[in-house]
Amino acid sequence: MTSIWKETGFVENDPWVIETDERKAGEGEAPVLGLASFLERVEESNEGGFGVLIAPADDVTKLAPYLDRIALVALAFPAFGDGRAFSHASILRGRLGYTGEIRAIGDVLIDQIPLMLRTGFDSFAVTNEVARRRLAEGRLPGIADHYQPAARSATVPGGYSWRRTSRAGG
């Protein structure tokens, strides 16, 4: 079972469906297309509101000309140790200026969610039972101090620019 979680809690009736050969979006659902399918479809029409799935090896910068037509970018975490989606989120938010929803899918574990939030993710497809239970209980782990800037705004106390810190949640 997959649950969609945002900082406001679990989402009821999320419309997004990652399309596969076996599963297509139905009535009242919105498709999330793989990068190649998205690029084909976006060239053929002027429609917007797309959902796009980015695999770890995909070039996320190919989305740049179409960001105003994308409502959701789903970034895949196929395994715990594959963190390329962190870089994709950072590029989308920082370099490309994407303001739409970025969703983590795949192997989303509770320990990674605070770091995902800092790099620009705002929704999570959670299948891990422990993660779902802890999120339902409001038990999100975290580290209060950070030395690096993030996609999210943070309180930066005075001091040396190279030694700046921020408080989590600030």
Short mmCIF file of all heavy atoms in Angstrom, two decimals, residues 61-116:
data_model
loop_
_atom_site.label_atom_id
_atom_site.label_comp_id
_atom_site.label_asym_id
_atom_site.label_seq_id
_atom_site.Cartn_x
_atom_site.Cartn_y
_atom_site.Cartn_z
N THR A 61 17.43 18.33 -16.62
CA THR A 61 17.46 19.63 -17.29
C THR A 61 16.67 19.64 -18.60
O THR A 61 16.35 20.70 -19.12
CB THR A 61 18.91 20.10 -17.55
OG1 THR A 61 19.56 19.17 -18.41
CG2 THR A 61 19.68 20.24 -16.24
N LYS A 62 16.32 18.45 -19.11
CA LYS A 62 15.49 18.39 -20.31
C LYS A 62 14.08 18.93 -20.05
O LYS A 62 13.35 19.23 -20.99
CB LYS A 62 15.40 16.95 -20.83
CG LYS A 62 16.69 16.46 -21.44
CD LYS A 62 16.55 15.07 -22.01
CE LYS A 62 17.84 14.63 -22.67
NZ LYS A 62 17.72 13.30 -23.27
N LEU A 63 13.70 19.07 -18.78
CA LEU A 63 12.39 19.61 -18.43
C LEU A 63 12.36 21.14 -18.51
O LEU A 63 11.28 21.73 -18.54
CB LEU A 63 11.99 19.19 -17.01
CG LEU A 63 11.85 17.71 -16.73
CD1 LEU A 63 11.49 17.49 -15.26
CD2 LEU A 63 10.82 17.08 -17.65
N ALA A 64 13.51 21.79 -18.54
CA ALA A 64 13.60 23.25 -18.45
C ALA A 64 12.64 24.01 -19.36
O ALA A 64 11.96 24.93 -18.90
CB ALA A 64 15.04 23.71 -18.66
N PRO A 65 12.52 23.68 -20.65
CA PRO A 65 11.63 24.48 -21.51
C PRO A 65 10.14 24.30 -21.19
O PRO A 65 9.33 25.07 -21.68
CB PRO A 65 11.93 23.96 -22.92
CG PRO A 65 13.14 23.12 -22.83
CD PRO A 65 13.27 22.69 -21.42
N TYR A 66 9.81 23.30 -20.39
CA TYR A 66 8.41 22.94 -20.18
C TYR A 66 7.94 23.10 -18.74
O TYR A 66 6.83 22.69 -18.41
CB TYR A 66 8.19 21.49 -20.62
CG TYR A 66 8.79 21.17 -21.95
CD1 TYR A 66 9.94 20.40 -22.04
CD2 TYR A 66 8.23 21.66 -23.13
CE1 TYR A 66 10.51 20.10 -23.27
CE2 TYR A 66 8.79 21.37 -24.36
CZ TYR A 66 9.93 20.59 -24.42
OH TYR A 66 10.49 20.32 -25.64
N LEU A 67 8.74 23.67 -17.88
CA LEU A 67 8.41 23.71 -16.45
C LEU A 67 7.07 24.36 -16.16
O LEU A 67 6.38 23.97 -15.23
CB LEU A 67 9.52 24.39 -15.66
CG LEU A 67 10.83 23.63 -15.57
CD1 LEU A 67 11.87 24.43 -14.82
CD2 LEU A 67 10.63 22.27 -14.93
N ASP A 68 6.69 25.35 -16.96
CA ASP A 68 5.40 26.02 -16.73
C ASP A 68 4.21 25.13 -17.07
O ASP A 68 3.07 25.45 -16.75
CB ASP A 68 5.33 27.33 -17.51
CG ASP A 68 5.46 27.13 -19.01
OD1 ASP A 68 6.10 26.15 -19.44
OD2 ASP A 68 4.93 27.96 -19.76
N ARG A 69 4.47 24.00 -17.70
CA ARG A 69 3.40 23.07 -18.09
C ARG A 69 3.39 21.80 -17.24
O ARG A 69 2.61 20.89 -17.48
CB ARG A 69 3.56 22.72 -19.57
CG ARG A 69 3.41 23.97 -20.45
CD ARG A 69 3.78 23.73 -21.88
NE ARG A 69 2.94 22.72 -22.50
CZ ARG A 69 3.19 22.21 -23.70
NH1 ARG A 69 4.24 22.62 -24.40
NH2 ARG A 69 2.41 21.30 -24.22
N ILE A 70 4.25 21.75 -16.23
CA ILE A 70 4.38 20.56 -15.38
C ILE A 70 3.84 20.87 -13.99
O ILE A 70 4.28 21.81 -13.33
CB ILE A 70 5.86 20.12 -15.28
CG1 ILE A 70 6.40 19.78 -16.67
CG2 ILE A 70 6.00 18.93 -14.34
CD1 ILE A 70 7.90 19.53 -16.70
N ALA A 71 2.89 20.05 -13.53
CA ALA A 71 2.31 20.23 -12.20
C ALA A 71 3.03 19.38 -11.15
O ALA A 71 3.06 19.75 -9.97
CB ALA A 71 0.83 19.86 -12.22
N LEU A 72 3.58 18.25 -11.56
CA LEU A 72 4.23 17.33 -10.62
C LEU A 72 5.45 16.69 -11.27
O LEU A 72 5.37 16.23 -12.41
CB LEU A 72 3.26 16.20 -10.22
CG LEU A 72 3.87 15.06 -9.40
CD1 LEU A 72 3.85 15.42 -7.92
CD2 LEU A 72 3.12 13.78 -9.63
N VAL A 73 6.56 16.70 -10.55
CA VAL A 73 7.74 15.94 -10.96
C VAL A 73 7.95 14.88 -9.89
O VAL A 73 8.14 15.20 -8.72
CB VAL A 73 8.99 16.82 -11.11
CG1 VAL A 73 10.21 15.97 -11.46
CG2 VAL A 73 8.79 17.91 -12.15
N ALA A 74 7.86 13.62 -10.28
CA ALA A 74 8.10 12.50 -9.38
C ALA A 74 9.53 12.03 -9.59
O ALA A 74 9.92 11.70 -10.71
CB ALA A 74 7.11 11.37 -9.66
N LEU A 75 10.31 12.05 -8.52
CA LEU A 75 11.71 11.64 -8.60
C LEU A 75 11.87 10.28 -7.93
O LEU A 75 11.46 10.09 -6.79
CB LEU A 75 12.60 12.68 -7.91
CG LEU A 75 12.55 14.09 -8.51
CD1 LEU A 75 13.43 15.04 -7.70
CD2 LEU A 75 12.96 14.08 -9.97
N ALA A 76 12.46 9.35 -8.67
CA ALA A 76 12.52 7.97 -8.22
C ALA A 76 13.74 7.68 -7.35
O ALA A 76 14.86 8.08 -7.66
CB ALA A 76 12.54 7.04 -9.44
N PHE A 77 13.47 6.98 -6.25
CA PHE A 77 14.48 6.41 -5.37
C PHE A 77 14.34 4.89 -5.47
O PHE A 77 13.61 4.29 -4.69
CB PHE A 77 14.26 6.86 -3.92
CG PHE A 77 14.66 8.27 -3.64
CD1 PHE A 77 13.77 9.30 -3.87
CD2 PHE A 77 15.93 8.57 -3.16
CE1 PHE A 77 14.12 10.61 -3.62
CE2 PHE A 77 16.29 9.88 -2.90
CZ PHE A 77 15.39 10.91 -3.13
N PRO A 78 15.01 4.25 -6.43
CA PRO A 78 14.82 2.81 -6.61
C PRO A 78 15.43 1.97 -5.49
O PRO A 78 15.04 0.84 -5.28
CB PRO A 78 15.50 2.52 -7.94
CG PRO A 78 16.49 3.61 -8.10
CD PRO A 78 15.91 4.82 -7.43
N ALA A 79 16.40 2.54 -4.78
CA ALA A 79 17.06 1.82 -3.69
C ALA A 79 17.54 2.84 -2.65
O ALA A 79 17.80 4.00 -2.98
CB ALA A 79 18.24 1.02 -4.22
N PHE A 80 17.69 2.37 -1.44
CA PHE A 80 18.12 3.23 -0.33
C PHE A 80 19.40 3.99 -0.65
O PHE A 80 19.53 5.16 -0.34
CB PHE A 80 18.30 2.37 0.93
CG PHE A 80 18.96 3.10 2.05
CD1 PHE A 80 18.24 4.00 2.81
CD2 PHE A 80 20.29 2.89 2.35
CE1 PHE A 80 18.84 4.69 3.85
CE2 PHE A 80 20.90 3.57 3.39
CZ PHE A 80 20.16 4.47 4.15
N GLY A 81 20.36 3.33 -1.26
CA GLY A 81 21.66 3.93 -1.51
C GLY A 81 21.76 4.79 -2.76
O GLY A 81 22.82 5.33 -3.05
N ASP A 82 20.69 4.94 -3.50
CA ASP A 82 20.73 5.73 -4.74
C ASP A 82 20.14 7.10 -4.47
O ASP A 82 18.94 7.28 -4.42
CB ASP A 82 19.94 5.02 -5.84
CG ASP A 82 20.17 5.66 -7.21
OD1 ASP A 82 20.61 6.83 -7.27
OD2 ASP A 82 19.91 4.98 -8.22
N GLY A 83 21.01 8.07 -4.28
CA GLY A 83 20.57 9.41 -3.92
C GLY A 83 20.57 10.42 -5.05
O GLY A 83 20.53 11.63 -4.79
N ARG A 84 20.60 9.96 -6.28
CA ARG A 84 20.65 10.91 -7.40
C ARG A 84 19.43 11.82 -7.45
O ARG A 84 19.50 12.95 -7.92
CB ARG A 84 20.83 10.17 -8.72
CG ARG A 84 22.23 9.54 -8.85
CD ARG A 84 22.38 8.74 -10.11
NE ARG A 84 21.73 7.44 -9.95
CZ ARG A 84 21.71 6.50 -10.88
NH1 ARG A 84 22.27 6.72 -12.06
NH2 ARG A 84 21.13 5.34 -10.65
N ALA A 85 18.31 11.35 -6.92
CA ALA A 85 17.10 12.19 -6.92
C ALA A 85 17.25 13.42 -6.03
O ALA A 85 16.60 14.43 -6.26
CB ALA A 85 15.88 11.36 -6.50
N PHE A 86 18.12 13.35 -5.01
CA PHE A 86 18.41 14.54 -4.21
C PHE A 86 19.00 15.63 -5.11
O PHE A 86 18.62 16.80 -5.03
CB PHE A 86 19.42 14.22 -3.10
CG PHE A 86 18.83 13.50 -1.92
CD1 PHE A 86 19.05 12.15 -1.74
CD2 PHE A 86 18.09 14.18 -0.97
CE1 PHE A 86 18.54 11.48 -0.65
CE2 PHE A 86 17.56 13.53 0.13
CZ PHE A 86 17.79 12.17 0.29
N SER A 87 19.93 15.24 -5.99
CA SER A 87 20.53 16.20 -6.92
C SER A 87 19.49 16.71 -7.91
O SER A 87 19.47 17.91 -8.23
CB SER A 87 21.69 15.55 -7.68
OG SER A 87 22.70 15.18 -6.79
N HIS A 88 18.62 15.83 -8.39
CA HIS A 88 17.57 16.27 -9.32
C HIS A 88 16.68 17.32 -8.67
O HIS A 88 16.35 18.34 -9.30
CB HIS A 88 16.71 15.08 -9.77
CG HIS A 88 17.39 14.10 -10.66
ND1 HIS A 88 18.27 14.46 -11.65
CD2 HIS A 88 17.31 12.75 -10.72
CE1 HIS A 88 18.71 13.38 -12.28
NE2 HIS A 88 18.15 12.33 -11.73
N ALA A 89 16.28 17.10 -7.42
CA ALA A 89 15.43 18.07 -6.72
C ALA A 89 16.16 19.40 -6.55
O ALA A 89 15.57 20.47 -6.76
CB ALA A 89 15.00 17.52 -5.36
N SER A 90 17.41 19.34 -6.19
CA SER A 90 18.20 20.55 -6.00
C SER A 90 18.34 21.33 -7.31
O SER A 90 18.22 22.56 -7.33
CB SER A 90 19.58 20.17 -5.45
OG SER A 90 20.34 21.31 -5.21
N ILE A 91 18.55 20.64 -8.40
CA ILE A 91 18.64 21.29 -9.72
C ILE A 91 17.30 21.91 -10.10
O ILE A 91 17.24 23.06 -10.56
CB ILE A 91 19.12 20.30 -10.79
CG1 ILE A 91 20.59 19.94 -10.56
CG2 ILE A 91 18.92 20.85 -12.20
CD1 ILE A 91 21.08 18.76 -11.36
N LEU A 92 16.22 21.17 -9.90
CA LEU A 92 14.89 21.69 -10.23
C LEU A 92 14.59 22.97 -9.46
O LEU A 92 14.14 23.96 -10.04
CB LEU A 92 13.81 20.64 -9.95
CG LEU A 92 13.65 19.55 -10.98
CD1 LEU A 92 12.83 18.40 -10.42
CD2 LEU A 92 13.01 20.10 -12.25
N ARG A 93 14.81 22.96 -8.16
CA ARG A 93 14.48 24.13 -7.33
C ARG A 93 15.49 25.26 -7.51
O ARG A 93 15.11 26.40 -7.72
CB ARG A 93 14.42 23.74 -5.85
CG ARG A 93 13.30 22.82 -5.48
CD ARG A 93 11.96 23.51 -5.49
NE ARG A 93 10.98 22.63 -4.85
CZ ARG A 93 9.77 22.43 -5.31
NH1 ARG A 93 9.34 23.05 -6.39
NH2 ARG A 93 8.95 21.62 -4.68
N GLY A 94 16.77 24.94 -7.43
CA GLY A 94 17.80 25.97 -7.43
C GLY A 94 18.14 26.53 -8.79
O GLY A 94 18.02 27.72 -9.05
N ARG A 95 18.56 25.67 -9.69
CA ARG A 95 19.03 26.12 -10.99
C ARG A 95 17.89 26.43 -11.95
O ARG A 95 17.94 27.40 -12.70
CB ARG A 95 19.95 25.07 -11.61
CG ARG A 95 20.66 25.59 -12.84
CD ARG A 95 21.56 24.58 -13.51
NE ARG A 95 22.34 23.77 -12.59
CZ ARG A 95 22.84 22.59 -12.90
NH1 ARG A 95 22.64 22.07 -14.10
NH2 ARG A 95 23.55 21.90 -12.03
N LEU A 96 16.85 25.58 -11.96
CA LEU A 96 15.77 25.75 -12.93
C LEU A 96 14.59 26.57 -12.41
O LEU A 96 13.74 27.00 -13.18
CB LEU A 96 15.27 24.38 -13.41
CG LEU A 96 16.34 23.49 -14.06
CD1 LEU A 96 15.75 22.14 -14.46
CD2 LEU A 96 16.97 24.18 -15.26
N GLY A 97 14.53 26.79 -11.10
CA GLY A 97 13.47 27.62 -10.52
C GLY A 97 12.08 27.00 -10.55
O GLY A 97 11.08 27.71 -10.53
N TYR A 98 12.00 25.67 -10.56
CA TYR A 98 10.70 24.99 -10.58
C TYR A 98 9.97 25.20 -9.25
O TYR A 98 10.54 25.01 -8.18
CB TYR A 98 10.91 23.50 -10.85
CG TYR A 98 9.63 22.69 -10.87
CD1 TYR A 98 8.68 22.90 -11.86
CD2 TYR A 98 9.37 21.74 -9.90
CE1 TYR A 98 7.50 22.16 -11.88
CE2 TYR A 98 8.20 21.00 -9.92
CZ TYR A 98 7.27 21.21 -10.91
OH TYR A 98 6.10 20.49 -10.93
N THR A 99 8.71 25.61 -9.33
CA THR A 99 7.92 25.89 -8.13
C THR A 99 6.79 24.91 -7.90
O THR A 99 6.09 25.00 -6.90
CB THR A 99 7.34 27.32 -8.17
OG1 THR A 99 6.53 27.44 -9.33
CG2 THR A 99 8.45 28.36 -8.19
N GLY A 100 6.59 23.97 -8.81
CA GLY A 100 5.53 22.98 -8.66
C GLY A 100 5.89 21.90 -7.65
O GLY A 100 6.90 21.97 -6.95
N GLU A 101 5.06 20.88 -7.59
CA GLU A 101 5.24 19.80 -6.62
C GLU A 101 6.33 18.84 -7.06
O GLU A 101 6.38 18.41 -8.21
CB GLU A 101 3.92 19.04 -6.47
CG GLU A 101 3.96 17.95 -5.43
CD GLU A 101 2.60 17.30 -5.21
OE1 GLU A 101 1.57 17.85 -5.64
OE2 GLU A 101 2.59 16.22 -4.61
N ILE A 102 7.22 18.52 -6.12
CA ILE A 102 8.23 17.49 -6.33
C ILE A 102 7.94 16.36 -5.35
O ILE A 102 7.88 16.58 -4.15
CB ILE A 102 9.66 18.01 -6.12
CG1 ILE A 102 9.99 19.12 -7.13
CG2 ILE A 102 10.67 16.87 -6.25
CD1 ILE A 102 11.37 19.73 -6.96
N ARG A 103 7.75 15.16 -5.90
CA ARG A 103 7.37 14.00 -5.09
C ARG A 103 8.47 12.94 -5.12
O ARG A 103 8.98 12.59 -6.18
CB ARG A 103 6.07 13.40 -5.62
CG ARG A 103 5.65 12.13 -4.90
CD ARG A 103 4.28 11.70 -5.30
NE ARG A 103 3.31 12.71 -4.88
CZ ARG A 103 2.02 12.66 -5.19
NH1 ARG A 103 1.54 11.68 -5.94
NH2 ARG A 103 1.21 13.60 -4.77
N ALA A 104 8.80 12.41 -3.96
CA ALA A 104 9.72 11.27 -3.85
C ALA A 104 8.91 9.99 -3.96
O ALA A 104 7.89 9.84 -3.30
CB ALA A 104 10.46 11.31 -2.52
N ILE A 105 9.38 9.09 -4.82
CA ILE A 105 8.71 7.79 -4.96
C ILE A 105 9.76 6.69 -4.86
O ILE A 105 10.94 6.93 -5.08
CB ILE A 105 7.93 7.67 -6.29
CG1 ILE A 105 8.88 7.74 -7.48
CG2 ILE A 105 6.87 8.74 -6.41
CD1 ILE A 105 8.27 7.22 -8.75
N GLY A 106 9.33 5.50 -4.54
CA GLY A 106 10.24 4.37 -4.46
C GLY A 106 10.58 4.05 -3.03
O GLY A 106 9.71 3.98 -2.17
N ASP A 107 11.87 3.89 -2.75
CA ASP A 107 12.34 3.49 -1.43
C ASP A 107 12.48 4.73 -0.54
O ASP A 107 13.57 5.22 -0.29
CB ASP A 107 13.67 2.74 -1.56
CG ASP A 107 14.03 1.96 -0.32
OD1 ASP A 107 13.17 1.82 0.57
OD2 ASP A 107 15.17 1.46 -0.24
N VAL A 108 11.34 5.25 -0.07
CA VAL A 108 11.30 6.45 0.76
C VAL A 108 11.28 6.02 2.22
O VAL A 108 10.29 5.45 2.68
CB VAL A 108 10.07 7.32 0.44
CG1 VAL A 108 10.00 8.53 1.35
CG2 VAL A 108 10.10 7.75 -1.03
N LEU A 109 12.36 6.29 2.94
CA LEU A 109 12.48 5.90 4.34
C LEU A 109 12.36 7.11 5.24
O LEU A 109 12.71 8.23 4.86
CB LEU A 109 13.80 5.17 4.58
CG LEU A 109 14.03 3.92 3.72
CD1 LEU A 109 15.41 3.33 4.00
CD2 LEU A 109 12.94 2.89 3.94
N ILE A 110 11.91 6.89 6.45
CA ILE A 110 11.64 7.98 7.39
C ILE A 110 12.88 8.83 7.65
O ILE A 110 12.77 10.05 7.78
CB ILE A 110 11.03 7.43 8.71
CG1 ILE A 110 10.50 8.56 9.60
CG2 ILE A 110 12.02 6.57 9.47
CD1 ILE A 110 9.26 9.21 9.09
N ASP A 111 14.06 8.23 7.74
CA ASP A 111 15.27 8.98 8.03
C ASP A 111 15.66 9.95 6.92
O ASP A 111 16.37 10.92 7.17
CB ASP A 111 16.45 8.02 8.28
CG ASP A 111 16.24 7.17 9.52
OD1 ASP A 111 15.34 7.50 10.32
OD2 ASP A 111 16.97 6.18 9.69
N GLN A 112 15.23 9.69 5.71
CA GLN A 112 15.59 10.54 4.58
C GLN A 112 14.64 11.73 4.40
O GLN A 112 15.00 12.70 3.74
CB GLN A 112 15.61 9.72 3.30
CG GLN A 112 16.65 8.64 3.26
CD GLN A 112 16.49 7.77 2.03
OE1 GLN A 112 15.39 7.39 1.67
NE2 GLN A 112 17.61 7.47 1.39
N ILE A 113 13.45 11.65 4.91
CA ILE A 113 12.44 12.68 4.63
C ILE A 113 12.88 14.08 5.03
O ILE A 113 12.71 15.02 4.24
CB ILE A 113 11.07 12.28 5.21
CG1 ILE A 113 10.53 11.08 4.41
CG2 ILE A 113 10.09 13.45 5.16
CD1 ILE A 113 9.22 10.51 4.92
N PRO A 114 13.49 14.32 6.22
CA PRO A 114 13.94 15.68 6.52
C PRO A 114 14.94 16.22 5.50
O PRO A 114 14.90 17.39 5.12
CB PRO A 114 14.57 15.55 7.91
CG PRO A 114 13.89 14.38 8.51
CD PRO A 114 13.67 13.42 7.36
N LEU A 115 15.84 15.36 5.02
CA LEU A 115 16.81 15.79 4.01
C LEU A 115 16.13 16.04 2.67
O LEU A 115 16.50 16.97 1.94
CB LEU A 115 17.91 14.74 3.86
CG LEU A 115 18.72 14.47 5.14
CD1 LEU A 115 19.64 13.28 4.95
CD2 LEU A 115 19.47 15.69 5.58
N MET A 116 15.13 15.23 2.36
CA MET A 116 14.36 15.44 1.13
C MET A 116 13.62 16.77 1.18
O MET A 116 13.59 17.52 0.19
CB MET A 116 13.38 14.29 0.91
CG MET A 116 14.04 12.98 0.57
SD MET A 116 12.81 11.65 0.49
CE MET A 116 13.82 10.28 0.00
#
